[in-house]
Amino acid sequence: DEGRGKNAFISATMNHPALSSTSVIMEANRCFHDDPFYCFIPIITMILLSFSESRDRLVSLKKRQKGSSILSSFLANGVIHTPPFPRGTAMVENRLKPCLSLVNDLVFKGFPLLKSSPEAKRLKDSEKVEKCVEVLSSLIVRFLELKERPGIISVCEMDSIDSYSKKLLHRILRSDGNLLIIGG
């Protein structure tokens, strides 16, 4: 009874214990501006912080990036208090690993959560977006494989999502991932 309407209904349904105990629930940000992948930031953050490699990187950045609001939001994320995937678990397939750092610029506004690579730096701007979409789709599908449960992504205000997020949704829908996307 927090609110009324389809978005409140979808949110309440997503948080129902029967659903959350059998599926991986991923709620997107409300899409109210055009930052690249804005609605996917909480989902991507949750997934990346589920890996030991990202957590180790955060610890090393904590010493150098004092006062960073992005760092603070990572450290305040609840997933930090859950066990990560075992060290060495691949985030994406090997051919995409050099391009993981594209997430830094296109999603986290330059915050260096993932180590940069020469391969990612050599890409042209037009190639970076397409490769980042491929990386993020692979990251989401891989996360669900590791969780061994179906996934549900809730995107309220589906009509308002940015063009990058639309590309990502299309790519995810074409994947083999066990995933349902609910939109309002």
Side-chain angles (χ1 to χ4, degrees), residues 76-123:
N77 192 300
V79 78
I80 287 285
H81 304 292
T82 62
F85 293 122
R87 190 166 310 288
T89 301
M91 292 184 195
V92 293
E93 54 195 89
N94 284 336
R95 70 178 183 80
L96 293 175
K97 193 170 183 177
C99 297
L100 269 169
S101 64
L102 293 172
V103 175
N104 295 340
D105 293 331
L106 291 170
V107 180
F108 299 130
K109 298 184 185 254
F111 186 82
L113 179 61
L114 301 162
K115 289 185 179 180
S116 65
S117 70
E119 295 90 338
K121 288 178 181 178
R122 281 195 296 266
L123 291 172

Side-chain angles (χ1 to χ4, degrees), residues 130-147:
E130 293 305 318
K131 190 56 78 173
C132 190
V133 166
E134 185 178 359
V135 166
L136 292 174
S137 175
S138 179
L139 186 66
I140 291 168
V141 170
R142 176 72 175 137
F143 177 74
L144 293 173
E145 288 171 0
L146 293 168
K147 287 290 194 177

